[in-house]
Amino acid sequence: MWRREEEPGDDGDADALHAVADARRGVAPPPVCGGGGEHGLLRVAPDDHRALGAALASFRGELVAPDDYCHVLRELGDRDKSAIRAFEVFHAALPHVGNGAVDKGKLLTASIGSLGKMGRPDLARRAFDAGVAGGYGNTVFAHSALISAYARSGLANEAMGVLESMKGAGLRPTTVSYNAVIDACGKGGVDLRFTLGYFRQMLKDGLCPDRKTFNSLLAACSRVGHLEDARAVFDEMIHLGIGRDIYTYNTFIDAICKCGNMELAMQVLLDMEAKGVKPNVVTYSTLIDGYSKLEKYEEALKLCEKMKSMRIQLDRVCYNTLLAIYVKTGKYAEIANICDEMEELGIEKDTVTYNSLINGYGKQGRLDIVSILVQDMRKRGVAPSVLTYSTLIDIYSKAGMHGDAFNVYLDFKESGLKPDVVLFSSFIDTLAKNGLIEWALSLLNDMTEMGIKPNVVTYNAIIDAFGKSKVMMEDDPEVCEMGIVGVYGGQIVRVANPVSRGGRSATDVRMRRSQELFFILELFQKMVQQGVRPNVVTFSAILNACSRCNSFEDAALLLEQLRLFDNFVYGVAYGLLVGSREVWSQAQSLFNQLGRMDSPTSSAFYNALTDVLWHFGQRRKAQQVVFEGINRRVWENTWGEFCLDLHLMSCGAAQAMVHAWLLNVRSIVFEGRAMPEFLSILTGWGKHSRIAGASTLRRVIEALLNSIGAPFQVERFNIGRFVSPSAVVAAWLRESGTVNILLLHDERVQQATPSNLLSQVMIQLTRIIKKY
């Protein structure tokens, strides 16, 4: 986490030019004011013009020269929180510095500098405009001070505009002017090419860059993570013989850490020590944060210990980084120790601290502690950030506390903070998973109207909710008993005008699914218009939606959207659906790509693909995909010779797996191998469902076992497990017609003979058994 260090004279550049000008004229340095002036002014109400004037007049004995008034303004900038007061002091002091344009110009420059330091470039501009109108503001010093004021607030365009107006007024920019513009460009996120362009223009104007020039260039390179440019700037400093200070080294190290080159960062640390530049707390906190972002926590903690051995006191930034490390590693005892240590040292928690703690305890499921942390933030007056609200919405959503998540969003709307894409995406995900898809779509529109561009995560949340939707039929017992009309994302939803106790008709279901298809297509159009590129999660969501389509034609229409973004994924999915024999080699290549992704993302795609294949009758292909997933260990601890665990599988994948597993048990039976007393199939019982035992997967597997005549029953004390004595299963498997029931076929391919099909399946099963 990077913080900009103040350089000596950072804000006094324009004043330093005045001092140089005075020296050239032989003017002695101003006497140091006794300090009573600014103390008296701090006691006056900021908007009391008469009192401010009287306070200045009462210190006329101490404020004997124009530079004394400048000193007072600079002190107000350093010590006061009221920019209005500094602005009024500037106007009140004008009559006391005489009528000379030079002295008034000095006061103006000091005022602009103070207002910029207090984060009020708007007031700095008003003072500047007043100076120009009064005939004492059209100076290099005032322009440079205004550029610096804009730079402090990251207002690059305004700073660049002042530089151009400066040139238009016939004034020649100085090194200080260019330094301020370069600093503004870096802070304002201007393209690095433009920032370097100002540096080249500076050289073209015959000006010599100084250390501040290079430090600002380094900071600009660091902010955008351009290591090679940062190295070039650093090397140029060496070439020109410009000394490197602690700020130079810290900024360069930050640029290196942002690019993840920690080996080079440690080399620079050694170099600075060899050059006599002593590392400070910012140096080490930057390195610790660099290791932390690479998840090299052991190296980060070693540096922390080194800091302590060197008696370098950890600051709040260091402690926040340590908290983040312990949150990620789940070391909650250490988190408590860090909080105690901060308390003992008098280091107050800030928003970043609370965000780390809330995130950590939220992931642990300690919602009681999360509640205490939120209350503590309010008690201590620590303002929550957008990230605080996003984190709380995410925590409550994952805990199923959707009402609490909604209340957090309402609190956020009253906070006055500007929402970002992360907060909107979190809340849209909450609404979508709770089945409130219409609300989620409404929020998506609000987001767009506010000028916040949705990202792929935002769209994935809504598309996935549509894709996983299930419209219940009239014969569903949950509908008949409870009057429920829909289930989205596994959550039971009531609507404003529920249907009659009889449930929905088949026509209602078809209409609902047609509406969903329309919405998904509309979402895709928005993604295309806004240039949002989908990822593998989007593809999984589309495949899930295809599984709910009324017809193959509707599914093909949805799949066509894939072609707009990724013709390869489209080709594999469509080829498998239409029964192309040649597509399997391409599918293997796609599975190789999935193998480089994280397990949840990869398994979600396998589940979605097998579901759509199963749904449209390509059951042999679905089983092939499942075999690939098992061989590649997509679903952990699924396959066992005598126990099948389907917890992590989708309905289509699980059904294909049951067929394959029973065929393998059949081979064991015919080989005469010993088996345990009971065989079992685990599905889970739906502990996350609104209704205990309402597990969709359990119901689907129960229906499958009944349909094929498999002699399995729900276990007496575990409704998420199907069991059967192995002897009974063996007898069933020996029956002549069983093998044909277990062999799966595709509707859209030339049928293989049962004997050839059985041999193909057994070859694939043998590969699985060898792996497990």
Side-chain angles (χ1 to χ4, degrees):
M1 195 169 300
W2 178 248
R3 302 152 303 162
R4 186 184 184 283
E5 292 179 290
E6 296 294 341
E7 289 190 86
D10 189 276
D11 233 19
D13 293 315
D15 292 321
L17 287 178
H18 278 307
V20 171
D22 284 343
R24 286 175 180 169
R25 297 198 313 269
V27 179
V32 179
C33 179
E38 58 269 18
H39 283 298
L41 291 169
L42 290 174
R43 291 192 291 269
V44 179
D47 54 353
D48 192 337
H49 311 287
R50 183 175 298 178
L52 285 170
L56 280 173
S58 68
F59 290 100
R60 289 292 298 273
E62 293 186 56
L63 304 173
V64 296
D67 290 295
D68 290 338
Y69 291 98
C70 296
H71 173 81
V72 168
L73 280 168
R74 285 193 291 272
E75 286 294 307
L76 288 174
D78 288 333
R79 293 153 58 178
D80 194 13
K81 298 295 182 185
S82 174
I84 297 293
R85 192 196 319 270
F87 184 69
E88 295 300 337
V89 165
F90 159 65
H91 283 290
L94 279 173
H96 300 293
V97 297
N99 296 319
V102 173
D103 290 336
K104 286 186 176 181
K106 286 183 180 181
L107 187 68
L108 172 64
T109 302
S111 173
I112 292 171
S114 296
L115 293 168
K117 185 176 287 187
M118 286 187 273
R120 290 298 303 271
D122 55 327
L123 291 179
R125 180 76 203 204
R126 284 173 59 186
F128 173 81
D129 289 342
V132 172
Y136 55 87
N138 194 25
T139 66
V140 172
F141 312 121
H143 279 84
S144 298
L146 184 58
I147 293 171
S148 293
Y150 281 131
R152 279 187 170 275
S153 296
L155 300 173
N157 290 331
E158 289 81 352
M160 291 187 286
V162 175
L163 183 72
E164 294 307 313
S165 67
M166 183 179 182
K167 293 177 181 178
L171 298 172
R172 184 174 183 267
T174 64
T175 299
V176 172
S177 310
Y178 276 108
N179 285 351
V181 170
I182 290 170
D183 190 38
C185 288
K187 289 177 178 174
V190 173
D191 191 304
L192 187 60
R193 290 173 296 176
F194 288 103
T195 308
L196 293 172
Y198 280 110
F199 175 68
R200 286 190 287 271
Q201 185 63 48
M202 177 183 182
L203 297 177
K204 186 178 178 181
D205 289 350
L207 298 171
C208 294
D210 56 16
R211 184 165 59 197
K212 182 169 178 15
T213 314
F214 284 103
N215 284 351
S216 295
L217 283 172
L218 276 174
C221 295
S222 172
R223 285 186 182 93
V224 294
H226 284 209
L227 179 56
E228 290 307 313
D229 288 315
R231 292 184 76 161
V233 170
F234 192 76
D235 292 342
E236 186 65 15
M237 288 186 76
I238 298 172
H239 175 71
L240 295 176
I242 296 174
R244 290 151 290 166
D245 58 8
I246 184 65
Y247 179 79
T248 311
Y249 277 106
N250 285 349
T251 309
F252 188 39
I253 287 172
D254 183 61
I256 298 169
C257 289
K258 278 189 170 75
C259 296
N261 193 339
M262 296 310 298
E263 184 178 350
L264 177 59
M266 294 304 292
Q267 289 176 6
V268 174
L269 176 66
L270 295 175
D271 178 67
M272 69 186 290
E273 290 175 328
K275 296 293 191 297
V277 181
K278 189 176 180 181
N280 62 9
V281 63
V282 176
T283 317
Y284 281 104
S285 66
T286 304
L287 290 166
I288 291 168
D289 189 58
Y291 277 121
S292 174
K293 283 184 168 64
L294 294 176
E295 298 185 357
K296 296 185 176 181
Y297 302 129
E298 188 175 340
E299 289 86 344
L301 295 174
K302 283 180 182 178
L303 277 177
C304 187
E305 291 303 315
K306 183 178 178 181
M307 284 181 71
K308 292 179 179 180
S309 67
M310 296 173 67
R311 299 188 182 281
I312 298 176
Q313 179 60 57
L314 278 67
D315 63 1
R316 185 162 54 197
V317 174
C318 285
Y319 280 115
N320 284 344
T321 305
L322 283 176
L323 281 173
I325 290 173
Y326 290 133
V327 163
K328 290 172 185 174
T329 54
K331 297 182 178 179
Y332 293 95
E334 296 296 338
I335 291 173
N337 292 337
I338 290 293
C339 290
D340 291 342
E341 194 172 318
M342 291 176 71
E343 196 78 30
E344 290 172 8
L345 294 170
I347 299 174
E348 295 184 357
K349 301 182 186 74
D350 62 2
T351 307
V352 177
T353 319
Y354 280 105
N355 286 349
S356 289
L357 293 171
I358 289 170
N359 182 42
Y361 285 108
K363 285 180 177 177
Q364 198 187 22
R366 295 298 307 273
L367 301 184
D368 53 335
I369 297 180
V370 168
S371 179
I372 291 170
L373 288 167
V374 172
Q375 291 173 17
D376 194 46
M377 281 186 81
R378 290 172 179 163
K379 180 181 176 182
R380 295 174 182 263
V382 179
S385 64
V386 174
L387 180 60
T388 315
Y389 288 106
S390 300
T391 304
L392 286 169
I393 288 173
D394 185 59
I395 288 169
Y396 290 133
S397 300
K398 288 177 178 175
M401 301 167 64
H402 303 293
D404 293 87
F406 188 74
N407 287 334
V408 171
Y409 180 72
L410 293 179
D411 286 343
F412 168 78
K413 289 188 74 173
E414 296 177 0
S415 70
L417 291 170
K418 183 180 179 181
D420 62 7
V421 66
V422 176
L423 183 132
F424 266 116
S425 297
S426 295
F427 195 52
I428 285 173
D429 188 50
T430 297
L431 294 171
K433 285 179 177 174
N434 200 30
L436 304 173
I437 303 179
E438 289 81 1
W439 286 21
L441 287 170
S442 176
L443 201 62
L444 180 65
N445 290 330
D446 291 347
M447 181 180 183
T448 307
E449 288 174 4
M450 293 177 68
I452 300 171
K453 182 180 177 182
N455 60 19
V456 67
V457 176
T458 320
Y459 283 109
N460 285 350
I462 301 179
I463 294 172
D464 191 53
F466 275 126
K468 290 180 178 177
S469 69
K470 173 192 172 187
V471 182
M472 291 185 162
M473 297 295 290
E474 58 187 50
D475 58 347
D476 194 307
E478 294 176 22
V479 175
C480 297
E481 293 174 10
M482 302 185 67
I484 296 166
V485 300
V487 171
Y488 293 92
Q491 302 294 336
I492 297 170
V493 179
R494 299 178 185 274
V495 295
N497 299 307
V499 296
S500 64
R501 191 173 179 82
R504 289 191 171 211
S505 67
T507 302
D508 291 334
V509 171
R510 284 194 295 272
M511 288 181 61
R512 179 71 187 195
R513 286 180 176 163
S514 295
Q515 290 174 349
E516 290 178 356
L517 176 63
F518 171 78
F519 279 127
I520 294 173
L521 292 174
E522 188 178 38
L523 285 172
F524 257 95
Q525 289 302 314
K526 287 185 178 180
M527 289 181 76
V528 172
Q529 291 167 7
Q530 295 174 355
V532 179
R533 186 170 182 81
N535 56 19
V536 68
V537 179
T538 323
F539 300 154
S540 299
I542 293 170
L543 292 173
N544 280 324
C546 289
S547 301
R548 270 67 179 174
C549 286
N550 296 323
S551 65
F552 182 78
E553 288 71 24
D554 284 350
L557 184 61
L558 268 183
L559 278 178
E560 192 67 29
Q561 306 307 308
L562 282 179
R563 179 178 265 172
L564 298 174
F565 301 102
D566 197 313
N567 196 49
F568 176 65
V569 176
Y570 164 80
V572 170
Y574 188 77
L576 291 173
L577 274 171
V578 298
S580 169
R581 292 183 180 276
E582 293 74 24
V583 79
W584 191 248
S585 60
Q586 297 175 33
Q588 294 275 4
S589 178
L590 175 60
F591 298 146
N592 289 338
Q593 293 180 32
L594 288 169
R596 294 189 285 272
M597 299 179 184
D598 61 275
S599 181
T601 302
S602 179
S603 62
F605 187 87
Y606 275 91
N607 280 333
L609 182 57
T610 50
D611 269 3
V612 73
L613 290 171
W614 187 273
H615 179 69
F616 286 108
Q618 297 299 90
R619 300 192 169 182
R620 173 73 183 117
K621 285 288 189 299
Q623 194 171 67
Q624 282 183 278
V625 173
V626 168
F627 284 150
E628 280 296 320
I630 294 296
N631 282 324
R632 296 169 186 268
R633 298 188 181 276
V634 171
W635 300 283
E636 287 295 326
N637 304 316
T638 297
W639 182 274
E641 282 192 320
F642 308 112
C643 178
L644 189 62
D645 188 345
L646 304 174
H647 274 91
L648 302 177
M649 305 187 83
S650 63
C651 292
Q655 291 177 89
M657 178 58 74
V658 168
H659 279 260
W661 181 72
L662 288 172
L663 281 172
N664 184 64
V665 174
R666 180 180 180 276
S667 69
I668 293 172
V669 170
F670 278 90
E671 289 171 7
R673 289 164 52 193
M675 294 194 297
E677 184 178 358
F678 288 93
L679 302 181
S680 65
I681 300 172
L682 298 173
T683 63
W685 55 272
K687 66 179 180 180
H688 297 297
S689 301
R690 293 282 183 93
I691 302 173
S695 164
T696 302
L697 180 61
R698 185 185 69 80
R699 293 201 302 269
V700 166
I701 296 303
E702 185 175 28
L704 173 69
L705 294 172
N706 290 335
S707 69
I708 63 176
F712 284 81
Q713 303 295 327
V714 175
E715 191 177 52
R716 183 178 178 185
F717 298 109
N718 183 354
I719 61 174
R721 181 194 294 266
F722 296 91
V723 296
S724 179
S726 57
V728 175
V729 175
W732 173 68
L733 290 170
R734 286 193 182 97
E735 293 176 8
S736 59
T738 302
V739 66
N740 291 328
I741 294 173
L742 295 179
L743 288 173
L744 296 173
H745 305 276
D746 291 334
E747 290 184 2
R748 296 178 184 82
V749 74
Q750 183 181 355
Q751 301 293 335
T753 63
S755 59
N756 288 340
L757 196 56
L758 180 60
S759 62
Q760 292 171 19
V761 173
M762 294 313 300
I763 289 170
Q764 291 173 315
L765 287 172
T766 302
R767 291 174 184 165
I768 292 175
I769 292 166
K770 285 181 179 178
K771 285 206 170 188
Y772 283 82

